[in-house]
Amino acid sequence: MSRECTRFLKTFKLNYPIVQAPMAGVSTPEMASAVAASGGLGSLTLSHVDLQDTSAVSAIRKAVNSFLSTAGADPQKANLNFFCHPIYPIPTVRQKENWNNLYCEVLETKDLKSPLKFDNGNVSFKSIETQENSDIFLSLLTFFETEFTPGVVSFHFGCPSSSSIQKLKKLGIAIFVTATSEFEGEELLKLGVDGIICQGYEAGGHRGCFPGNEVHLDEGLSTLCLFKRLQEAKNKLGSEAFLIPAGGIMDSRAIQFYLDQGASACQLGTAFLAAAESKSSKFYRDLIKSHHKISTTLTPFPSGLPARTLQTPFIERLASLSQGKDLPPYGYRYSEFKLLRSKFPSLVNFHLCGQGVNQIQTGRDKCLSTAEIFSRLTQDLVVPAD
Ligand SMILES: Cc1cc2nc3c(=O)[nH]c(=O)nc-3n(C[C@H](O)[C@H](O)[C@H](O)COP(=O)(O)O)c2cc1C
């Protein structure tokens, strides 16, 4: 067991070096509080919060209150997760038409059953770093200072400015950011973040590539390869940042392996998809019980940014018909896609999950609770006594 792991446990007062991955649309505050109460770091996804609206802090308070409603869930064991992609331009009329025509073709219908809205479903943290929204950023800082100081605030799809990072750190909050490549990791080490989520190619969900990198600079490194490269970079720079591998880690042996290699902790998402507290528990439990061949694929099409998802006939058809089309940017495209999914739930089969999906654990007669899954993940772990 590494010195890094001991330092991680002490810093966040945890019993186990496990971070439950934030999973927008799937994980819940109840899942996060169950993980925190079990001695790990629980994550709350906040990418759905409209940070440009004055109600943003109330929405965050609501998520935090659900987290706190479980005994043992202390703020230090909470990770509040935001997206930090660029502020994308609103879609053009042409892009909206292309999208409409595409899905009419994919779903073999003339009518998508609703007027096109194209709201921006995922508002980036970047939008409160602008002059016009500086009041919202200030109220968020006040909320963190006076009501709820989380142990960690984390970012996916890039990172905020150095000045925002410093403001959060000043409140005693540790900053974690996802990296998918050596280049991104090195940038984060130089920026002085407290932790790097080393997200490998195996990982479920969207790749947290920095803006633009997903197109040309994504080498598709495995979790182990990325972790090793960043470990070397960290040692060279003499950095104290925690390195947290994420992607394909499904059991205690895999966690132990990374800890023995010097990881500070491991972040797991797919392992919790069928937990009773997950919004997809029934879907994954039925899937695993069906004994069907299950595989995953990486695709940018439903949302506009690359994500690992279950390979389904719908995804294959969408990918083949989307090639070369000028479509609305992420956020707007994803929000419209979710509306469409609610209208055609049996046809639009899009389920984010990692390569480890086949190893998801389910109970015989009912879903395992998050606490039960957590207990299985930790039962054989050799964790430092102190
Ligand atoms: C359904 C799903 C949704 C996700 N949503 C987010 C998110 O909102 N924020 C984030 O930082 N990471 C998100 N991720 C990525 C995870 O943080 C993590 O990198 C990944 O789950 C690790 O790989 P694994 O799924 O193989 O354990 C998501 C992953 C999944 C499976």
Side-chain angles (χ1 to χ4, degrees), residues 199-207 220-221 247-248 270 273 284 295-300 305-311 315 350-357:
Q199 191 194 34
Y201 206 58
E202 304 92 315
H206 283 88
R207 277 176 78 58
L221 293 178
T270 300
L273 284 177
Y284 282 102
S295 48
T296 67
T297 185
L298 198 78
T299 174
L305 289 174
R308 185 166 294 285
T309 172
L310 212 60
Q311 187 156 23
I315 289 295
F350 177 61
H351 304 277
L352 297 173
C353 62
Q355 290 180 343
V357 60

Side-chain angles (χ1 to χ4, degrees), residues 20 61 88-89 91 137 166 182 224 254 273 280 323 346 370-371 376:
Q20 163 250 320
R61 185 181 290 114
Y88 292 108
F137 193 10
Q166 291 317 317
E182 192 175 350
L224 180 59
L273 284 177
S280 335
Q323 298 293 345
S346 58
T370 298
R376 290 185 185 198

Side-chain angles (χ1 to χ4, degrees), residues 20-27 43-47 79 81-83 122 154-157 178 197-208 223 245-250 267-273 280 284 308 330 334 351-357:
Q20 163 250 320
M23 294 186 281
V26 173
S27 61
S43 303
L44 294 170
T45 63
L46 298 172
S47 57
N79 163 26
N81 181 253
F82 295 93
F83 287 174
N122 292 112
S154 66
F155 298 95
H156 203 62
F157 300 128
T178 302
I197 307 301
C198 310
Q199 191 194 34
Y201 206 58
E202 304 92 315
H206 283 88
R207 277 176 78 58
T223 306
I249 305 172
M250 297 297 293
Q267 177 160 306
L268 284 72
T270 300
F272 290 104
L273 284 177
S280 335
Y284 282 102
R308 185 166 294 285
Y330 177 82
Y334 204 14
H351 304 277
L352 297 173
C353 62
Q355 290 180 343
V357 60

Side-chain angles (χ1 to χ4, degrees), residues 52-89:
Q52 288 168 310
D53 195 281
T54 45
S55 65
V57 171
S58 310
I60 295 173
R61 185 181 290 114
K62 194 172 160 212
V64 155
N65 283 343
S66 311
F67 170 82
L68 287 174
S69 62
T70 302
D74 105 58
Q76 187 66 19
K77 294 178 182 143
N79 163 26
L80 269 46
N81 181 253
F82 295 93
F83 287 174
C84 209
H85 48 72
I87 302 170
Y88 292 108

Side-chain angles (χ1 to χ4, degrees), residues 94-230:
R94 188 59 193 265
Q95 286 174 330
K96 293 181 194 177
E97 278 169 9
N98 289 345
W99 187 94
N100 187 63
N101 295 341
L102 168 69
Y103 278 99
C104 284
E105 197 179 354
V106 171
L107 300 176
E108 294 173 332
T109 174
K110 286 201 168 69
D111 178 12
L112 296 181
K113 296 189 198 168
S114 68
L116 300 181
K117 283 178 78 181
F118 287 100
D119 292 331
N120 186 4
N122 292 112
V123 176
S124 171
F125 193 87
K126 290 260 174 241
S127 54
I128 51 168
E129 292 186 303
T130 59
Q131 190 65 37
E132 67 265 41
N133 290 323
S134 56
D135 282 0
I136 300 180
F137 193 10
L138 273 182
S139 26
L140 182 62
L141 290 174
T142 307
F143 171 73
F144 285 154
E145 189 172 8
T146 58
E147 292 186 48
F148 183 93
T149 315
V152 177
V153 166
S154 66
F155 298 95
H156 203 62
F157 300 128
C159 62
S161 67
S162 166
S163 128
S164 302
I165 290 178
Q166 291 317 317
K167 284 178 188 150
L168 291 164
K169 281 173 78 130
K170 238 185 181 166
L171 302 177
I173 299 170
I175 305 300
F176 290 4
V177 183
T178 302
T180 57
S181 68
E182 192 175 350
F183 170 77
E184 292 168 355
E186 280 175 1
E187 207 170 297
L188 293 174
L189 289 169
K190 287 181 193 150
L191 201 56
V193 301
D194 302 283
I196 301 181
I197 307 301
C198 310
Q199 191 194 34
Y201 206 58
E202 304 92 315
H206 283 88
R207 277 176 78 58
C209 301
F210 286 18
N213 289 5
E214 70 280 355
V215 183
H216 300 299
L217 291 171
D218 189 2
E219 216 184 321
L221 293 178
S222 67
T223 306
L224 180 59
C225 191
L226 175 62
F227 167 67
K228 287 284 182 189
R229 290 210 201 167
L230 295 190

